[in-house]
Amino acid sequence: MSLPTTPGPSDRSPQHARRARRSRRGPAVLLTALVAAAATAVPLAWATEGDPTGPAPAVTEAAARAEAPTSEPPAPTPTCTPQPLEARAAAVLVVGLPGVTRADDALAQQVVGLGVGGVFLAGGNARSAEQVSALTTGLRAAAGRPLLVSTDEESGRVAHMRQVVGAGPSPRRMAREESPDDVRARAAETGRVLAGVGVDLDLAPVLDLDDGPATGVIGDRSFSADPQEATTYGLAYANGLADAGVTSAVKHFPGHGRSAVDSHRESSLVEAGLDELGTTDLAPFQAAVDAGAPVVMLNHLQYAALDPDLPASLSPRAYALLREMGFEGVAMTDSVGMGAVNLRWDFPDAAVQAVSAGADAVLATDGNHATRMRDGLVAAVRSGQLPEARLSEAAARVTALAGGDPVAMSCLDVELPRLDAGAGAGATAGAEGPSPAP
């Protein structure tokens, strides 16, 4: 994304400039500023009790600034006509295809015809490498445009492409038994198989901290409870995927390891203080951002330090924190069909609130709701509930991630970060936390 950069020598790389800007920040300081701003802010419509689709209260200009993500939006391209509102709304959706194994399936044809930004392939979509390859080839042919094809292959117990890539050890076991170079090589091999069948986005690795029971909600999906070790191994896995040409999505920001509650069923409140979050849970994410992570997934937990009544995936302060940490890529929700969100907000409402809060990509593992979500976003823009500029920014980022032209989509020229294989390898932010300066 085109953002102002810190003046410096002409030979500084974009990654160097990003890290220089972030070195003056730290999650604890940014969080403190966010909470201080909240003291005088009037809640936006989706943060109030009652019907989330009801009329929004009056919001002062200062309050709106306090609630909004702090990243500076890209400048519109002069004399450019964006795609129709419906196309931009569909472009922010990444949806699953329950039970679909062939591209000519009615649901598959419906969602690609709608213009979704991407699809999500779960275990039920994968029977063999040949079958998945035919499916992804057919989906892209039907779409007639760049289309993200994502899956969730963490290795261990969350491995939706196990039928294709084979079984692998859990992240916790990797960190105990293998070196970071071994993990990078393992992830590169996984990435080569995924790329070979047409998958270009893996919703991994987990950067959450957890040393609890292996079968816990995060459990052995976490590389470690130690921020430095989790960073080292998490970035090794992400770099391995990148070596094979597959994009990684680090998750679950701002950190899921403190909660034993499964957000597939319900949400829970994380009570940790600002300083504690800044030096533990947020440290691996700061290192990933500094290394150029292109995608960050937000979880559905509630945080007392942010918006205690909203899941992070729908929290303006959570997205503001992520942007203040220096993130310039695609902010993605966990699936909005999970109970922590869906028991309170229907799919269209969740999509509107997520994008309004700062999400770029909205994940829903059931594409049967895609049309309603698209229509909900369009209606929200037309009613003034969702700023059109925010939707355009989100659509531009997801389009760029898919390999499309963000200017043709939204008249916005965005540049997404790319993972820097040399940054964060030693987890310099892990042991002591990011530099104070969120």
Side-chain angles (χ1 to χ4, degrees):
M1 182 173 64
S2 302
L3 292 176
T5 59
T6 304
S10 59
D11 61 349
R12 283 188 174 183
S13 68
Q15 300 285 9
H16 183 105
R18 276 196 290 269
R19 288 195 291 273
R21 291 198 300 275
R22 293 166 196 145
S23 68
R24 297 188 294 273
R25 303 185 180 114
V29 175
L30 288 171
L31 279 165
T32 301
L34 289 167
V35 173
T40 57
V42 177
L44 298 182
W46 57 87
T48 59
E49 295 293 334
D51 182 5
T53 63
V59 180
T60 67
E61 183 178 354
R65 285 197 302 269
E67 293 285 354
T70 58
S71 63
E72 187 172 312
T77 301
T79 66
C80 174
T81 302
Q83 290 296 304
L85 189 55
E86 290 81 1
R88 283 174 281 158
V92 306
L93 303 178
V94 178
V95 300
L97 304 170
V100 170
T101 58
R102 295 168 52 95
D104 58 3
D105 183 276
L107 178 59
Q109 292 295 308
Q110 177 187 340
V111 299
V112 296
L114 191 70
V116 297
V119 295
F120 172 77
L121 301 185
N125 304 119
R127 293 179 178 172
S128 68
E130 295 76 12
Q131 172 264 323
V132 174
S133 182
L135 173 60
T136 60
T137 299
L139 289 171
R140 288 193 168 102
R145 65 184 187 286
L147 178 73
L148 275 175
V149 178
S150 64
T151 192
D152 198 349
E153 183 60 41
E154 300 173 5
S155 191
R157 58 187 163 112
V158 178
H160 285 284
M161 287 290 121
R162 185 180 287 115
Q163 291 292 103
V164 175
V165 304
S170 69
R172 180 182 290 181
R173 182 179 167 190
M174 288 185 213
R176 286 178 176 172
E177 300 180 359
E178 301 179 0
S179 71
D181 286 343
D182 292 336
V183 170
R184 181 169 182 165
R186 178 186 292 280
E189 179 57 30
T190 295
R192 281 189 285 273
V193 176
L194 292 178
V197 297
V199 174
D200 50 15
L201 174 64
D202 187 8
L203 306 184
V206 167
L207 294 186
D208 305 321
L209 309 179
D210 194 346
D211 62 355
T215 56
V217 176
I218 298 300
D220 64 359
R221 298 168 63 193
S222 168
F223 287 99
S224 176
D226 175 69
Q228 180 172 348
E229 188 170 47
T231 299
T232 298
Y233 280 92
L235 287 180
Y237 196 93
N239 280 320
L241 292 173
D243 291 342
V246 173
T247 301
S248 60
V250 298
K251 61 186 184 183
H252 306 82
F253 184 86
H256 203 302
R258 291 178 180 272
S259 175
V261 173
D262 186 350
S263 55
H264 287 85
R265 299 183 176 89
E266 59 183 315
S267 189
S268 66
L269 181 67
V270 174
E271 299 277 7
L274 307 183
D275 291 341
E276 189 176 2
L277 283 173
T279 58
T280 54
D281 299 64
L282 289 168
F285 291 100
Q286 182 68 72
V289 168
D290 290 345
V295 184
V296 174
M297 174 181 282
L298 282 83
N299 69 43
H300 297 322
L301 300 180
Q302 297 161 203
Y303 292 80
L306 298 170
D307 287 308
D309 296 325
L310 290 173
S313 57
L314 307 185
S315 163
R317 289 181 177 86
Y319 290 98
L321 169 62
L322 180 58
R323 296 301 179 188
E324 286 297 328
M325 289 169 66
F327 183 60
E328 298 174 359
V330 173
M332 183 179 194
T333 71
D334 208 338
S335 175
V336 295
M338 293 164 62
V341 170
N342 195 241
L343 291 176
R344 295 176 63 186
W345 297 275
D346 194 12
F347 287 90
D349 297 329
V352 169
Q353 296 191 53
V355 176
S356 298
D360 300 310
V362 180
L363 174 65
T365 55
D366 186 351
N368 286 291
H369 303 282
T371 299
R372 294 198 302 128
M373 293 169 72
R374 189 276 311 266
D375 292 347
L377 289 163
V378 170
V381 170
R382 289 177 174 162
S383 71
Q385 182 184 0
L386 170 62
E388 184 173 354
R390 172 78 273 276
L391 178 64
S392 291
E393 178 185 38
R397 286 199 180 114
V398 177
T399 298
L401 182 65
D405 184 353
V407 175
M409 173 60 70
S410 296
C411 296
L412 298 175
D413 188 8
V414 301
E415 180 181 353
L416 301 181
R418 298 183 65 180
L419 200 61
D420 180 352
T428 55
E432 299 177 0
S435 302

